[in-house]
């Protein structure tokens, strides 16, 4: 019988010799590990190859990951063709519509699962497969903390459907048709018909929602292969990218191209540019802040706003524009956008290929005529999609997706109509006796990180039914929550600090005047400081707590929106700087 290989020092160990289970005898630990995996039929030759882990987030509860079996097969093929040994393992999977109380509540748990499984199991590189909104940020956060060679594969977007000759896709059209139903423009038969057409295949939402945003930001960060962001879930292009991703993971293991060499300040700056230029989801900035925090970087929201003033929205996708992700893919995908943005990008940023972003843009070639990505002199919107607001209502900042807001409401003063929490909103928003007019401002409290908890996407407050049936399509709305990237309207989000911890939003009362000026980047509560102090003293805020379990961990440690709503103990222990530099 041959003697087992003597395990190397932990720092140098590779493959199955990495991170040996503690039995007090490393040689025995390796002997035992090999014995068990051989139970699955592996040969010694297979077990000497570089081990590539694959984070498998397939779940019957997650149709956005419904192509996971095919993706896994293609990734494994790529790994084996490149000489590696693929070992997939399950982690938590989160779907937007199947997570209570909200997917964001579970994002950090998924990131911990991902980080700890990467740390616990022997692997020389990891392929992360995610797609639905919170999954990709959770995976990148976890991998950034684990710091091994990492490559992200997204599941890809769903196809669009057709309703009575109109092209439809989740979920901008979900909201649009639901709004029509609430306004009694369509009946229950039609809303049931369109329900069959909105999600025409497996894959992620077909508009520039959070999943598409994160797919584009991941490519801009250099964390996925060039061209990996846009192929739809059910296409051969998506499967080819999966195969190539597997092969590249083996190369990254060989080169020891760890994630910290890719997630640099330049990479985050590129991602911020792209977020602005694609009219991306407002959730994108929260997730970028969380990923950056894992490598010791802070995102400066004011700088993001300054970048937005010279970064036009170029991508003509819903909800800011008219197209869908599959159109973006046919238009050349991210290469077309990055080519147009090139003068604004940090071209020396490293990518998973071992080449820089600038080199990849060159390799992508000259491009071709298309109508989905506009040129910088003919943008969809002249500034970046997201503007950062400040004022006495949001001392720590707030944001608005100006590219999908109503231009006539961007400079607006109105009377506050206040809802104390999501339950209060649900109870009264459609009441006939709700005292509300079209020029009022709807204020929703207690949907921030601690308030709901989990900062749900309830910031897209529905138009009160009595106004909807009058034909009102937009109204200024303010909250400390988030909204889906697929949503649209003049909606101020992420008000920081949140109301549940005593932010000024907590003390807004019905009838107060509020002023929104997007041009001045201002969100002001027109109530005197003395009056606010009086209200504060009369009703001091006690932050919510929980007795036990994950909810206790969440409420005790979750940070505010400007820090990415990560848990404070998961951020890097040392701060390395601020982005942009
Ligand atoms: Fe999964 Fe939209 S619900 S991406």
């Amino acid at each position: 019988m041959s003697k087992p290989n003597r395990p190397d020092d932990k720092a140098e160990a590779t493959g199955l010799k990495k991170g040996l289970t503690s039995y007090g005898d490393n040689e025995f630990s390796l002997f035992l590990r090999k014995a068990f995996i051989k139970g699955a039929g592996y040969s010694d030759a297979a077990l000497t190859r570089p081990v590539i882990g694959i984070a498998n987030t397939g779940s019957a509860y997650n149709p956005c990951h419904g192509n996971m079996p095919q993706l896994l097969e293609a990734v494994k093929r790529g790994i084996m063709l490149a000489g590696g040994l693929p070992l997939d393992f399950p982690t938590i999977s989160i779907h937007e519509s199947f997570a209570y109380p909200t997917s964001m509540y579970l994002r950090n748990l998924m990131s911990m699962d991902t980080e700890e499984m990467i740390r616990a199991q022997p692997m020389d590189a990891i392929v992360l497969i995610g797609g639905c909104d919170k999954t990709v940020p959770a995976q990148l956060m976890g991998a950034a903390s684990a710091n091994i060679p990492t490559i992200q594969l997204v599941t890809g977007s769903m196809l669009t459907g057709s309703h009575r000759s109109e092209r439809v896709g989740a979920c901008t059209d979900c909201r649009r048709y639901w709004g029509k139903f609430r306004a009694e423009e369509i009946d229950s038969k039609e809303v049931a018909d369109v329900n069959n057409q909105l999600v025409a295949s497996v894959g992620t939402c077909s508009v520039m929602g959070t999943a598409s945003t994160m797919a584009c930001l991941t490519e801009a960060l250099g964390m996925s292969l060039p061209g990996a962001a846009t192929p739809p879930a059910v296409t051969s292009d998506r499967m080819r990218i999966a195969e190539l991703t597997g092969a590249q993971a083996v190369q990254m293991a060989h080169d020891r191209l760890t994630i910290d060499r890719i997630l640099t300040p330049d990479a985050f700056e590129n991602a911020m540019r792209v977020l602005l230029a694609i009219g991306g989801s407002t959730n994108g900035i929260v997730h970028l802040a969380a990923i950056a925090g894992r490598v010791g970087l802070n995102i400066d929201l004011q700088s993001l706003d300054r970048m937005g003033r010279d970064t036009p929205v170029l991508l003509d996708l819903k909800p800011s524009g008219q197209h869908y992700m599959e159109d973006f893919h046919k238009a050349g995908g991210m290469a077309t956008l990055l080519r147009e943005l090139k003068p604004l990008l940090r071209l020396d940023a490293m990518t998973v290929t071992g080449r820089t972003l600038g080199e990849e843009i060159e390799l992508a070639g000259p491009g071709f005529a298309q109508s989905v990505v506009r040129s910088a002199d003919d943008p969809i919107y002249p500034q970046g999609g997201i503007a950062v607001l400040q004022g006495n209502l949001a001392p720590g900042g707030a944001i608005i997706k100006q590219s999908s807001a109503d231009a006539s409401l961007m400079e607006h003063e109105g009377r506050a109509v206040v809802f104390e929490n999501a339950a209060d909103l649900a109870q009264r928003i459609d009441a006939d006796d709700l005292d509300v007019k079209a020029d009022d401002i709807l204020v929703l409290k207690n949907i921030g990180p601690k308030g709901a908890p989990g900062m749900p996407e309830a910031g897209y407050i529905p138009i009160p039914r009595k106004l909807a049936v009058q034909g009102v399509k937009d109204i200024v709305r303010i909250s400390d929550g988030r909204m889906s990237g697929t949503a649209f309207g003049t909606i101020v989000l992420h008000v920081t600090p949140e109301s549940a911890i005593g932010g000024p939003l907590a003390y807004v009362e019905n009838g107060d005047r509020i002023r929104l000026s997007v041009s001045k980047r201002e969100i002001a509560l027109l109530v005197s400081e003395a009056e606010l102090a009086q209200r504060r003293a009369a009703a001091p805020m006690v932050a919510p707590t929980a007795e036990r379990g994950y909810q206790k961990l969440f409420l005790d440690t979750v940070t505010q929106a400007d820090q990415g709503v990560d848990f404070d103990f998961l951020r890097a222990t040392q701060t390395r700087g601020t982005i942009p530099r």
Side-chain angles (χ1 to χ4, degrees):
M1 194 172 91
S2 63
K3 272 193 89 178
N5 294 333
R6 177 173 289 277
D8 304 331
D9 289 338
K10 194 175 177 207
E12 296 168 4
T14 56
L16 285 194
K17 299 176 196 167
K18 281 186 84 175
L20 289 168
T21 311
S22 305
Y23 293 117
D25 177 344
N26 278 354
E27 289 189 23
F28 176 68
S29 296
L30 181 61
F31 173 75
L32 207 60
R33 175 173 285 176
K34 286 178 75 174
F36 275 109
I37 201 159
K38 281 179 178 172
Y42 289 92
S43 65
D44 275 316
L47 299 179
T48 57
R49 295 186 171 206
V51 176
I52 310 299
I54 308 171
N56 173 357
T57 53
S59 162
Y61 287 97
N62 196 343
C64 298
H65 296 195
N67 57 346
M68 193 63 63
Q70 295 80 17
L71 288 175
L72 274 174
E73 185 188 329
V75 170
K76 287 180 178 177
R77 183 170 68 239
I79 291 170
M80 288 194 283
L81 284 170
L85 173 65
L87 292 177
D88 68 300
F89 61 95
T91 73
I92 295 171
S93 189
I94 310 169
H95 184 274
E96 283 304 293
S97 299
F98 288 91
Y100 175 83
T102 173
S103 59
M104 189 65 166
Y105 179 65
L106 298 165
R107 184 202 61 181
N108 298 346
L109 184 63
M110 182 173 174
S111 82
M112 292 169 75
D113 182 359
T114 305
E115 174 184 346
E116 296 307 327
M117 286 300 100
I118 293 172
R119 288 186 190 280
Q121 302 170 135
M123 60 188 82
D124 299 301
I126 175 77
V127 178
L128 306 167
I129 312 182
C132 196
D133 295 13
K134 306 305 177 291
T135 60
V136 171
Q139 292 183 319
L140 289 175
M141 289 160 70
S145 296
N147 196 26
I148 69 167
T150 302
I151 187 166
Q152 179 82 54
L153 175 68
V154 298
T155 54
S157 61
M158 61 183 70
L159 300 179
T160 51
S162 177
H163 171 66
R164 301 185 183 176
S165 292
E166 190 192 351
R167 196 175 179 207
V168 293
C171 229
T172 302
D173 297 321
C174 314
R175 294 171 202 287
R176 194 162 56 81
Y177 272 90
W178 191 249
K180 284 184 177 200
F181 179 59
R182 282 175 56 79
E184 299 173 10
E185 292 171 23
I186 62 172
D187 60 17
S188 54
K189 164 83 173 71
E190 180 165 0
V191 85
D193 284 350
V194 79
N195 190 260
N196 284 333
Q197 297 302 320
L198 289 164
V199 180
S201 75
V202 296
T204 53
C205 287
S206 54
V207 299
M208 191 43 75
T210 304
S212 302
T213 299
M214 289 312 302
C216 295
L217 298 191
T218 299
E219 191 173 328
L221 281 168
M223 283 305 307
S224 60
L225 284 177
T230 56
V234 297
T235 59
S236 56
D237 277 350
R238 173 55 60 201
M239 296 309 143
R240 251 186 303 282
I241 282 289
E243 181 189 298
L244 293 170
T245 297
Q248 189 59 34
V250 179
Q251 187 63 44
M252 293 175 75
H254 182 261
D255 297 343
R256 302 277 174 116
L257 182 50
T258 46
I259 194 169
D260 60 337
R261 291 170 58 193
I262 299 172
L263 292 183
T264 60
D266 282 357
F268 283 102
E269 189 174 327
N270 288 335
M272 288 159 73
R273 283 282 179 205
V274 165
L275 175 65
L276 293 161
I278 61 178
S281 163
T282 46
N283 290 320
I285 193 61
V286 178
H287 297 319
L288 276 181
I291 300 163
R294 295 300 184 96
V295 292
L297 297 168
N298 290 316
I299 286 187
D300 176 7
L301 286 179
Q302 293 311 313
S303 297
L304 174 75
D305 189 74
R306 278 194 293 280
M307 287 167 74
R309 292 180 187 266
D310 60 13
T311 312
V313 177
L314 301 179
L315 188 56
D316 188 1
L317 243 66
K318 290 188 176 198
S320 299
Q322 56 171 326
H323 293 290
Y324 295 86
M325 278 301 275
E326 61 195 77
D327 307 317
F328 184 24
H329 182 57
K330 288 173 187 164
M334 283 293 287
T336 308
L337 182 88
L338 293 172
R339 197 179 294 118
E340 202 59 46
L341 277 183
K342 196 174 165 191
L344 297 173
L345 296 173
R346 300 278 186 182
L347 299 173
D348 290 337
M350 177 59 65
T351 77
V352 287
T353 62
R355 293 182 288 270
T356 65
L357 189 70
E359 288 170 333
E360 292 299 346
I361 294 172
E362 288 305 312
L363 278 173
F368 50 86
Q370 49 79 40
S371 58
V372 180
V373 179
R374 300 276 191 91
S375 64
D377 49 18
D378 178 30
I380 288 289
Y381 192 81
Q383 295 190 350
I386 295 172
V388 179
L389 308 172
Q390 279 206 311
N392 68 342
L393 190 51
I399 60 169
I400 184 168
K401 189 169 179 182
Q402 54 179 342
S403 58
S404 60
D406 186 327
S408 68
L409 290 172
M410 302 245 269
E411 309 295 319
H412 185 77
E413 183 185 318
R415 186 184 67 138
V417 175
V418 177
F419 300 91
E420 290 301 323
N421 50 47
D424 183 33
L425 175 82
Q427 199 174 8
R428 294 194 295 121
I429 189 74
D430 288 340
D432 291 336
D433 61 354
L434 181 69
D435 180 13
V436 65
K437 301 192 299 295
D439 60 354
D440 287 338
I441 294 180
L442 305 183
V443 173
L444 176 56
K445 304 176 184 177
N446 287 305
I447 59 163
K450 290 187 193 238
M455 205 180 179
E457 290 185 342
Y460 180 74
I461 304 166
I463 308 285
R465 193 187 294 274
K466 66 191 284 188
L467 296 180
V469 296
Q470 292 166 23
V472 174
K473 298 280 186 239
D474 197 5
I475 182 168
V476 177
R477 289 157 268 184
I478 300 174
S479 76
D480 44 14
R482 299 176 299 113
M483 85 174 175
S484 164
T486 63
F488 46 89
T490 312
I491 300 173
V492 177
L493 302 154
H494 308 182
V495 168
T496 305
E498 65 175 306
S499 53
I501 61 168
L505 188 70
Y507 300 102
V508 181
E509 294 183 357
N510 278 319
D512 287 348
R513 305 288 297 176
I514 293 175
R515 185 173 61 228
L516 167 68
S517 171
V518 179
S519 66
K520 294 189 184 131
R521 303 295 197 256
E522 181 192 43
I523 184 75
L525 176 61
L526 306 179
V527 171
S528 71
E529 267 312 308
E531 169 66 19
L532 277 178
Q534 220 170 44
R535 291 181 190 177
R536 226 175 258 129
M541 199 59 60
V542 181
T545 55
E547 286 287 306
R548 62 166 295 281
Y550 180 69
Q551 189 169 15
K552 176 170 171 51
L553 181 70
F554 189 99
L555 290 174
D556 288 353
T557 64
V558 74
T559 59
Q560 293 289 287
D562 56 345
Q563 299 232 304
V565 196
D566 199 2
F567 295 155
D568 55 13
F569 64 91
L570 291 175
R571 291 173 62 83
T573 50
Q574 288 189 328
T575 302
R576 287 167 48 207
T578 299
I579 315 159
R581 290 176 297 172

